Amino acid sequence: MTETVLIVGASGIVGSAAAEVMGEAGWTVLGLARNPPAQEGVVPVAADLQDPDGLMAALAPHRPTRVVLSTWMRRPTEAEMIRVNGAMVRNLLDALRPAGSVRHVALVTGLKHYLGPFEAYGKSAVPQTPFREEQGRLPVENFYYAQEDEVFAAARRDGFSWSVHRPHTVIGKAVGNAMNMGTTLAVYATLCRETGRPFRFPGSPMQWNGLTDMTDARLLARHLLWASTAPQGANQDFNVVNGDVFRWSWMWGRLAAWFGLEPAPFDGTIRPLEEQMEGDAPLWAEIATRHGLAEPDLDRLASPWHTDADLGRPIEVVTDMSKSRRLGFLDYQPTEDAFLDLFSRLRADRLIP
């Protein structure tokens, strides 16, 4: 039987990688968005997750067998995030119910499952690291939990299997994404090189000196494919990281070298990128014009608030992948290669000079 996957968020970091991997596997790929961009190998489905009737009409012609949920909507408070994001998942699964075609739903969340929402970072008890799936939920409001609950309820009702995927910071290529550390650091390094500013690590001493890990979007896409089809992946929650660990005190110099920069010494002072890059939009537009870049809008490339949230953490964040390994997913991706491969792709696509 030919598989058809509906990817919600197909133009994002995770969704675009999943579309590529699943398309290469021979699947028909549907990409749902309010205004879906043209993507090679992706059938666009224009719909708003907050419009149940419109969503039902847009999905009526399609019979997806697999669903990947890799999108969310940012709101000012966690309570509002819960209301909006939970409703979007519920609306989608309700709209897919009449066809009765869905056999598996894969939900992408993240390590805020263990850390709590951005506004609660470091303010409550944090489970011991490395994070393991058995640690369960924190006693705090979290929109990830609301998304999970909607998937679980629909799975019980409609008889499909599910998987939950919790990556650490995702490194991959996308324009207009709200959480994009790799491209944000590439833009920051370019600004430093073009202006002569020091390339300073913006985060905390804990992140500079402590161990951490990350997730390549391509590895996450392969994990989504595996869990959507392997019997042992059904009805399971999974951490998903590259498989290596590193310290930013080691990685920062590697990133600097790719851009031909000497990294500035780190003196333990937190210098958030949101402050360092404030007012840089006109400068980026000038750099884009000078080098013939494809995207002159700094806000569509860089998300310094998210990078600051990750690199400013006062706690160690390391993730255990044993559960996936035991069940048969053995892929591995060196994180340094994930960054440098991304930088090469950004340059090839004229997004950085």
Side-chain angles (χ1 to χ4, degrees):
M1 178 181 176
T2 301
E3 300 285 2
T4 298
V5 60
L6 174 68
I7 301 178
V8 184
S11 63
I13 292 179
V14 175
S16 59
E20 183 175 348
V21 165
M22 292 174 178
E24 289 173 351
W27 292 15
T28 298
V29 179
L30 311 175
L32 188 149
R34 278 176 295 180
N35 298 292
Q39 288 177 267
E40 185 177 354
V42 177
V43 178
V45 178
D48 185 341
L49 292 176
Q50 298 185 84
D51 175 9
D53 292 338
L55 193 55
M56 188 82 71
L59 289 171
H62 304 289
R63 296 181 59 82
T65 56
R66 315 287 168 177
V67 177
V68 172
L69 275 161
S70 61
T71 192
W72 62 287
M73 188 169 288
R74 192 180 182 197
R75 285 292 184 263
T77 67
E78 195 64 21
E80 185 68 3
M81 296 264 279
I82 289 169
R83 186 187 69 79
V84 171
N85 289 284
M88 291 195 305
V89 174
R90 182 168 61 254
N91 292 341
L92 175 75
L93 298 178
D94 284 349
L96 288 169
R97 187 183 190 189
S101 59
V102 174
R103 300 207 304 276
H104 187 90
V105 172
L107 172 67
V108 180
T109 61
L111 295 194
K112 289 191 294 297
H113 181 93
Y114 308 106
L115 292 163
F118 286 123
E119 60 196 52
Y121 267 16
K123 297 178 183 176
S124 61
V126 176
Q128 184 181 19
T129 57
F131 295 144
R132 294 179 172 88
E133 295 88 347
E134 65 197 37
Q135 291 167 248
R137 296 180 174 184
L138 295 173
V140 297
E141 289 191 325
N142 192 324
F143 84 90
Y144 284 170
Y145 305 162
Q147 289 182 308
E148 286 184 347
D149 288 343
E150 294 294 346
V151 171
F152 300 159
R156 288 191 298 268
R157 178 191 71 191
D158 299 334
F160 56 76
S161 62
W162 55 265
S163 55
V164 175
H165 305 254
R166 298 176 189 140
H168 198 168
T169 304
V170 179
I171 303 303
K173 180 178 171 292
V175 175
N177 190 273
M179 300 193 298
N180 195 332
M181 179 189 284
T183 303
T184 298
L185 292 179
V187 168
Y188 173 59
T190 300
L191 287 166
C192 290
R193 188 182 63 202
E194 296 282 325
T195 62
R197 296 178 195 169
F199 184 59
R200 297 188 184 280
F201 180 71
S204 69
M206 171 63 77
Q207 294 305 306
W208 180 255
N209 294 309
L211 289 172
T212 192
D213 51 27
M214 292 208 169
T215 306
D216 189 304
R218 299 165 297 183
L219 180 136
L220 175 54
R222 296 193 295 274
H223 195 272
L224 288 162
L225 177 66
W226 168 76
S228 294
T229 54
Q232 62 269 34
N235 305 325
Q236 298 289 339
D237 54 350
F238 293 109
N239 298 328
V240 191
V241 288
N242 288 337
D244 63 346
V245 294
F246 65 92
R247 302 180 201 276
W248 277 105
S249 57
W250 176 85
M251 183 69 78
W252 197 248
R254 267 93 184 143
L255 305 190
W258 196 92
F259 289 93
L261 294 167
E262 282 292 328
F266 180 63
D267 62 5
T269 303
I270 298 176
R271 296 180 172 87
L273 287 181
E274 200 159 25
E275 294 177 8
Q276 290 194 56
M277 298 172 70
E278 186 178 9
D280 277 343
L283 175 57
W284 183 260
E286 176 190 322
I287 291 170
T289 299
R290 186 179 345 127
H291 292 281
L293 301 183
E295 182 52 73
D297 185 348
L298 181 64
D299 290 339
R300 284 183 51 76
L301 292 174
S303 49
W305 70 272
H306 171 256
T307 300
D308 287 338
D310 276 11
L311 298 185
R313 291 169 180 157
I315 53 177
E316 178 186 68
V317 180
V318 185
T319 316
D320 185 80
M321 273 284 283
S322 297
K323 183 175 182 178
S324 288
R325 305 290 189 235
R326 289 189 180 108
L327 292 176
F329 182 82
L330 304 177
D331 284 23
Y332 168 83
Q333 170 66 56
T335 300
E336 180 183 7
D337 293 355
F339 273 115
L340 303 190
D341 290 352
L342 171 64
F343 298 159
S344 295
R345 283 183 285 150
L346 293 174
R347 180 167 287 171
D349 291 342
R350 297 187 302 109
L351 291 169
I352 60 172

